Amino acid sequence: MTETDAIVMEGISKTFKKAQKPSLYPTDLRIESGSFVTILGASGCGKTTLLKMVNRLYEPSSGKILINGQDIARIAPTKLRRQIGYVIQQTGLFRHMTIEQNVAMVPGILGWDKEKINRRIDDLLNLVGLSPSEFRKRYPGQLSGGQQQRIGLARAMAADPSIMLMDEPFGAIDAINRAALQDEILRIQKQLHKTILFVTHDIMEAMKLGDKVIVMNEGKVQQFARPLDILRHPANEFVRDLVHSDDRLQRLAFVRAKDVMNTEAAVPDPDKEAPEAPENSTLHEILMLLLGGRTDYVQIKDEKNNPVGRVTLKEIRRA
Amino acid sequence: MDLVWGAFQYIMHNRAAFSEAMRTHLELSGSALLIGLLISIPLGIICARHARLSVMIMGMVNSLRVVPSLAILIIVMPILGTGYTPALVALTILSCPPILINTFLGIKSVDHEVIESAIGMGMDNRQILFRIELPLALPLILSGVRTASVEVISSATLAAFIGGGGLGTFIINGLGLYNFAVLLAGAIPVALFAICSEVVFGIIEKLATKYRQA
Ligand SMILES: Nc1ncnc2c1ncn2[C@@H]1O[C@H](COP(=O)(O)OP(=O)(O)OP(=O)(O)O)[C@@H](O)[C@H]1O
Ligand SMILES: [Mg+2]
């Protein structure tokens, strides 16, 4: 175990009582601190089971889990859970409490003083893009689905946990709002360097969000790798079929500009007006810009708007 | 109208006896309701936690519910004799089913996901019970209390049959004397109390569900 691993799983498995076969076969995983890891797989493959063992909602049948080097079996479950954010699809908001009361729950239990909690609520609501003055006193029932999920996220981050577990948090949200929420969680993660374990059965979402993706099937981890590596070197038949790695157009939707761009040609040409795109754009988006623009390249910029590279058709062909 | 006027006059002439009866009536109903609450709410919570126990107790309570209140009063008589205490016991028994059943149902009806996220964020059992389950069950519990209070206040009238006192005494006397003014002197206040408690608990219930009307 190295110091940079936030979560280490050693041979953990789970067989539920009266079940004929394990929901999770013995698994070893190392989740690097500050990384965004998505867990991808079909319904019933064991994603939730894996996730819930990290905050001891389920106890493993074998193996152990270390968080920041500490065996979680030795930490009282309530204490452990207060330092891990947990977000579920149905939000689980307390509908008899206002938004501020919902968000203040864990800090309150941890005994923070009123002033600090108050500031924290404002900060968190701003972070998830909801105006504190407008939303603090509302009840969950007065919010849209997307807004409720933002509050679910704010509540889970209330005590500033370094690890977040998210179980299909955007699964019940319409496509447009989901894309907005995905961008938001990416931004938040970049900003706060949380370690995130994010369950989804949407391959686009898994590839878009994950620094690394855990592909699961029938209780077994099939591959644990960067999205691009999963596309280029699928570990087995199952992963190959899942990512349609032979469908080029589909692949372009998974590959990001920063992974293939030509960094040697970072500086923009002053006399050409090349289209620009953030480094997290997919090649699908870059291709659209190329087709619509007048130059033979797209200028790629990082978060701070510095030019970091270019993508031409050559890079797209190679992807 | 004459009868009501007669009842009013009767009350004014027997002020001491009337206020004594009223006091007994309210005290009897209030105590029965309070003891009923203290028994039923914890029992309802325990039932919500233990499936097997709940089947047994709910079955018992449901069969208790079909027994008329007069029958309960008469059943306790051979065991506890007559007077205030047996009346209190009978009324307490009567107040339990609606509160117990609604507490049980209220806690059972809290969404599984809400409990899961409460556990997931590190709340302990006590915190979950007092901050999540009971507040969410409160509207149903209150409606159980409302039903129980109306039932107890009207049934406390029957306490007079086993010598428990209260406004029922006037009703029995009125019936015996064939004097409707006396009968109404007991019956009208009982009806008013029952209506009042219905209204008051209705208002409390509304306040407790503020978040739903929002
Ligand atoms: N509490 C439980 N008791 C018994 N079996 C369970 C329990 N929870 C899950 N299982 C079983 O374990 C397997 C994996 O379930 P899990 O919930 O981890 O799947 P999942 O990948 O999260 O699926 P979904 O995408 O539908 O949420 C399933 O076969 C399921 O039936
Ligand atoms: Mg699941």
Side-chain angles (χ1 to χ4, degrees):
Chain A
M1 124 131 241
T2 67
E3 271 183 32
T4 56
D5 288 326
I7 307 170
V8 176
M9 305 184 188
E10 293 176 354
I12 56 157
S13 71
K14 180 70 184 176
T15 307
F16 286 102
K17 256 184 278 171
K18 292 183 194 152
Q20 276 126 23
K21 54 180 191 161
S23 294
L24 185 73
Y25 289 88
T27 299
D28 295 296
L29 282 173
R30 284 165 180 276
I31 312 292
E32 213 175 293
S33 184
S35 66
F36 198 140
V37 173
T38 51
I39 305 175
L40 173 67
S43 184
C45 72
K47 307 182 293 295
T48 298
T49 304
L50 180 69
L51 197 74
K52 283 187 176 176
M53 285 194 283
V54 178
N55 62 359
R56 295 187 65 183
L57 286 177
Y58 292 156
E59 295 294 342
S61 309
S62 74
K64 66 174 176 180
I65 299 179
L66 308 176
I67 279 185
N68 301 322
Q70 224 184 339
D71 186 347
I72 62 169
R74 300 233 189 85
I75 309 173
T78 49
K79 181 160 178 268
L80 174 75
R81 290 169 193 146
R82 286 169 200 169
Q83 46 197 0
I84 298 179
Y86 184 52
V87 184
I88 57 176
Q89 180 176 334
Q90 307 83 351
T91 75
L93 290 182
F94 307 137
R95 66 192 168 88
H96 62 297
M97 294 182 190
T98 59
I99 300 309
E100 59 179 7
Q101 289 171 322
N102 267 277
V103 176
M105 184 54 87
V106 178
I109 290 174
L110 291 174
W112 291 18
D113 66 61
K114 278 233 167 63
E115 197 46 42
K116 188 175 169 195
I117 294 179
N118 237 336
R119 262 179 286 130
R120 186 77 185 142
I121 295 170
D122 282 344
D123 290 348
L124 283 164
L125 291 187
N126 284 323
L127 185 70
V128 298
L130 297 175
S131 136
S133 59
E134 191 178 337
F135 287 94
R136 281 184 71 131
K137 301 286 181 201
R138 290 213 207 167
Y139 287 97
Q142 300 168 301
L143 268 55
S144 73
Q147 290 168 339
Q148 289 186 24
Q149 197 50 274
R150 282 163 200 266
I151 297 303
L153 191 59
R155 185 177 69 172
M157 292 193 299
D160 203 19
S162 64
I163 295 173
M164 303 273 295
L165 307 176
M166 308 182 72
D167 197 343
E168 302 198 32
F170 310 145
I173 291 166
D174 66 90
I176 293 171
N177 276 304
R178 191 183 323 152
L181 277 161
Q182 288 167 348
D183 293 338
E184 213 105 319
I185 187 74
L186 272 177
R187 175 181 60 75
I188 289 170
Q189 202 263 348
K190 286 268 155 354
Q191 192 181 331
L192 304 174
H193 307 290
K194 305 265 180 220
T195 306
I196 299 182
L197 263 183
F198 185 111
V199 167
T200 178
H201 57 237
D202 175 353
I203 180 166
M204 293 285 195
E205 189 169 66
M207 296 294 209
K208 173 179 173 184
L209 298 180
D211 297 321
K212 286 175 103 179
V213 181
I214 298 172
V215 181
M216 289 186 67
N217 187 38
E218 298 191 341
K220 289 180 188 148
V221 172
Q222 306 293 320
Q223 189 164 10
F224 176 35
R226 291 163 52 219
L228 196 62
D229 293 332
I230 287 180
L231 286 171
R232 285 188 176 156
H233 316 288
N236 55 36
E237 211 45 40
F238 176 81
V239 181
R240 193 188 317 277
D241 287 349
L242 183 75
V243 298
H244 299 288
S245 42
D246 40 299
D247 179 340
R248 289 196 86 157
L249 207 54
Q250 177 93 27
R251 268 173 65 172
L252 294 184
F254 299 146
V255 182
R256 286 178 224 170
K258 66 171 177 193
D259 292 324
V260 298
M261 66 190 175
N262 178 1
T263 49
E264 277 153 29
V267 188
D269 244 323
D271 41 288
K272 287 189 186 172
E273 288 189 5
E276 296 173 352
E279 58 182 354
N280 260 326
S281 315
T282 64
L283 289 191
H284 204 266
E285 291 161 336
I286 303 289
L287 185 61
M288 288 316 208
L289 288 173
L290 267 183
L291 293 176
R294 260 174 243 163
T295 51
D296 56 356
Y297 70 94
V298 171
Q299 183 65 48
I300 307 300
K301 300 201 155 181
D302 68 7
E303 288 144 61
K304 298 185 191 83
N305 222 23
N306 300 318
V308 287
R310 290 181 182 182
V311 175
T312 66
L313 265 186
K314 199 170 104 196
E315 278 81 32
I316 293 181
R317 275 203 199 94
R318 271 209 314 242
Chain B
M1 223 46 224
D2 280 356
L3 274 176
V4 176
W5 178 239
F8 181 69
Q9 277 185 322
Y10 180 84
I11 290 170
M12 292 322 272
H13 281 128
N14 298 275
R15 243 181 281 178
F18 178 77
S19 55
E20 171 65 20
M22 202 162 79
R23 210 179 54 79
T24 312
H25 199 102
L26 288 181
E27 193 187 299
L28 199 56
S29 315
S31 315
L33 199 60
L34 201 66
I35 301 171
L37 273 172
L38 292 178
I39 296 172
S40 310
I41 292 184
L43 200 57
I45 294 169
I46 293 170
C47 282
R49 297 267 187 274
H50 303 278
R52 236 178 296 157
L53 186 72
S54 81
V55 173
M56 216 176 69
I57 292 188
M58 288 303 141
M60 239 169 67
V61 167
N62 273 319
S63 50
L64 188 69
R65 253 191 149 167
V66 298
V67 181
S69 19
L70 188 58
I72 293 184
L73 282 163
I74 289 168
I75 291 166
V76 297
M77 229 181 7
I79 309 169
L80 295 167
T82 57
Y84 185 87
T85 313
L88 181 61
V89 171
L91 290 175
T92 302
I93 294 174
L94 210 62
S95 75
C96 285
I99 306 175
L100 178 57
I101 290 172
N102 281 22
T103 304
F104 171 74
L105 290 179
I107 289 189
K108 275 287 191 194
S109 69
V110 175
D111 282 342
H112 168 75
E113 291 81 23
V114 170
I115 299 301
E116 187 190 305
S117 60
I119 298 174
M121 59 205 273
M123 297 176 78
D124 60 31
N125 290 337
R126 260 180 70 92
Q127 289 162 340
I128 291 174
L129 177 64
F130 287 106
R131 300 199 201 175
I132 310 294
E133 289 177 304
L134 282 177
L136 283 172
L138 191 64
L140 256 183
I141 296 176
L142 283 173
S143 107
V145 176
R146 179 164 53 113
T147 309
S149 75
V150 173
E151 227 164 276
V152 166
I153 288 172
S154 26
S155 300
T157 314
L158 303 172
F161 281 102
I162 60 169
L167 290 164
T169 324
F170 293 109
I171 298 177
I172 293 176
N173 288 347
L175 281 173
L177 300 168
Y178 210 70
N179 183 338
F180 287 105
V182 177
L183 187 146
L184 286 181
I188 292 175
V190 170
L192 288 179
F193 283 141
I195 292 170
C196 276
S197 82
E198 170 93 23
V199 170
V200 168
F201 280 109
I203 291 170
I204 298 176
E205 231 178 288
K206 272 252 161 59
L207 292 177
T209 53
K210 213 174 50 183
Y211 61 88
R212 275 197 208 155
Q213 294 131 24

